[in-house]
Amino acid sequence: NVLFITIDALRPELASYKTDGIRTPHIDRLAAKGLQFNAAYCQYPVCNASRTSFLTGLRPDRHGIFANKMAFRVKWPDLATLPQHFRNNGYFTAGLGKLFHMGLDEDGKQTLFRDDASFDYSFKALGNSPKIGREGEGRKLGDGTVRWARWLAAEGGDLAQPDGMIAAEAVRLLEERHDEPFFIGVGFHKPHDPFIAPKEYFDLYPLDEMKLAEDPKDRTPLLGHALPDNYNFPSFKDRDRREFKRAYHACTTFVDAQVGKLFDAMDRLKLWDNTIVVLLGDHGYHLGEHGWWNKVTVFDIGARVPLVIWAPKSGGMGAETGAVVELLDVYPSLIDLCHLKPPHKLQGKSLRPIMEDASATWKRAACTQVVRAPVGMGYSVRYGDWRLTQWGQDGSGDVELYNVIKDKEGYYNRATDPEHAVVLNRLFGFLKRGYPQIIRGSH
């Protein structure tokens, strides 16, 4: 069996990833039981493109889905997705909440989350909160022009929120289908904005205890393409920033509690011995670093995601690994573990060697890309201790080079330092392997 859990806009802001002050006991439990990947990366730092990649096994420049408003089935009507491939091989498949970002309804019109070819059963909870779940204390942040930047400490408890409904439906399905092979995908919405969670989760985080990111004064100048078109984040006052981070943490702990309900059902039904569990975030996120409070960057904190996998009878469980991996690797890993043949050429690589031995040698790079006008595309690669980003296919938008071990936020660009020329050239080689179409700019 496969229990596949996606958590929207969750960066590795978890206790198991050494984040102070965050309460995530249930995800931490999975991390202690399974294998935690400390250097996992998405292929595109936006929902639709990222999910299309790890659910099809193709890189964004291969599948061509970059905008959130385009359903991948418009371009790929016959492509076998990860859950669809399990369905084609006799598994019961279910998609609860947000697995895919944009799909098609029975009339071919675009609609959120749906993909009928992938699932025997689908369940959508977003938009179905009862009235009490939309009531409570909250407000818009800043001057109100960033419309999605708002929080609500809601009344009504877990089941008055979409993620609570999704968890309850997942538990029901586990109880109903535990005696047959299944692939159950559970897509939680939070901590994605707007930041709505039951008030009891907000109560866990006193506002005056929120520690905010501080950009160092000696940082190198921020390149023009590093951030997308700016929202009015400068209008955020100290209170706004603290409330934003508090709300993100409250939503994270709320989702963690829903994950715990799934794991309690796994315990009760004795499913751990025959069920692979995957838990991941779909892209990274900024919580004030570089003055940014959103996604859509290829700084390491914009591309890095949590990834935890439990695989029964694999020797590498109960460990952590610093191996650099991609979400693109999840598809080939799951079909490898379940002894299925790939339905098409997958661009990732099975993580099975690391899952069997967490100390196994794994020397690979992780590639992430993002559209940025006017240069077109930005291409980024993480290898070893370093991240290289080239803006534009021909490098017309300049280059960034960061030591992500010493400078995970990306404050000190070393691309023009002569002493790092060897590192720069080596990473350009890895970038070229990931994106053969790029031309190195003259720098």
Side-chain angles (χ1 to χ4, degrees), residues 200-431:
E200 49 265 38
Y201 297 98
F202 282 82
D203 294 341
L204 295 171
Y205 297 101
L207 197 61
D208 59 0
E209 293 183 10
M210 292 295 102
K211 296 180 180 180
L212 300 177
E214 294 184 10
D215 295 349
K217 293 180 179 179
D218 65 341
R219 61 164 302 160
T220 53
L222 189 66
L223 295 183
H225 305 298
L227 298 178
D229 294 338
N230 229 330
Y231 290 103
N232 197 16
F233 295 137
S235 73
F236 284 13
K237 307 300 182 185
D238 182 76
R239 177 190 171 193
D240 298 302
R241 292 188 285 269
R242 291 181 186 277
E243 288 186 359
F244 192 115
K245 187 168 183 178
R246 178 197 189 201
Y248 187 92
H249 278 193
C251 288
T252 299
T253 299
F254 167 51
V255 166
D256 178 80
Q258 309 319 301
V259 170
K261 296 173 185 177
L262 273 58
F263 294 165
D264 288 347
M266 293 272 293
D267 291 342
R268 187 171 63 255
L269 298 167
K270 296 180 172 54
L271 283 170
W272 289 102
D273 288 341
N274 66 348
T275 302
I276 299 166
V277 179
V278 178
L279 184 145
L280 58 85
D282 61 345
H283 50 70
Y285 205 85
H286 287 240
L287 289 174
E289 300 88 355
H290 304 282
W292 190 248
W293 296 85
N294 202 358
K295 50 195 173 186
V296 208
T297 83
V298 286
F299 286 108
D300 210 67
I301 52 176
R304 182 169 168 251
V305 298
L307 173 64
V308 184
I309 301 177
W310 158 256
K313 302 178 182 178
S314 290
M317 298 297 101
E320 300 178 15
T321 176
V324 176
V325 304
E326 302 177 294
L327 290 186
L328 199 68
D329 300 326
V330 171
Y331 193 149
S333 301
L334 288 178
I335 65 170
D336 183 12
L337 289 166
C338 295
H339 309 293
L340 304 179
K341 295 181 179 179
H344 53 264
K345 185 176 181 180
L346 302 173
Q347 293 185 286
K349 184 177 180 180
S350 174
L351 300 171
R352 189 170 184 172
I354 313 175
M355 296 169 66
E356 293 179 344
D357 178 3
S359 64
T361 300
W362 181 272
K363 293 185 177 181
R364 288 174 60 83
C367 294
T368 306
Q369 61 188 105
V370 69
V371 170
R372 191 81 85 234
V375 295
M377 188 72 72
Y379 303 92
S380 192
V381 61
R382 161 78 196 273
Y383 179 78
D385 292 353
W386 295 88
R387 171 168 296 280
L388 169 72
T389 299
Q390 173 171 306
W391 293 103
Q393 185 173 330
D394 59 356
S396 59
D398 224 324
V399 169
E400 299 172 77
L401 179 69
Y402 302 105
N403 184 317
V404 299
I405 304 302
K406 298 178 180 179
D407 178 25
K408 66 179 181 179
E409 293 87 359
Y411 289 130
Y412 303 100
N413 184 4
R414 304 304 187 191
T416 59
D417 294 355
E419 63 265 36
H420 295 119
V422 172
V423 172
L424 191 72
N425 287 329
R426 182 183 302 130
L427 264 73
F428 265 120
F430 282 104
L431 194 66

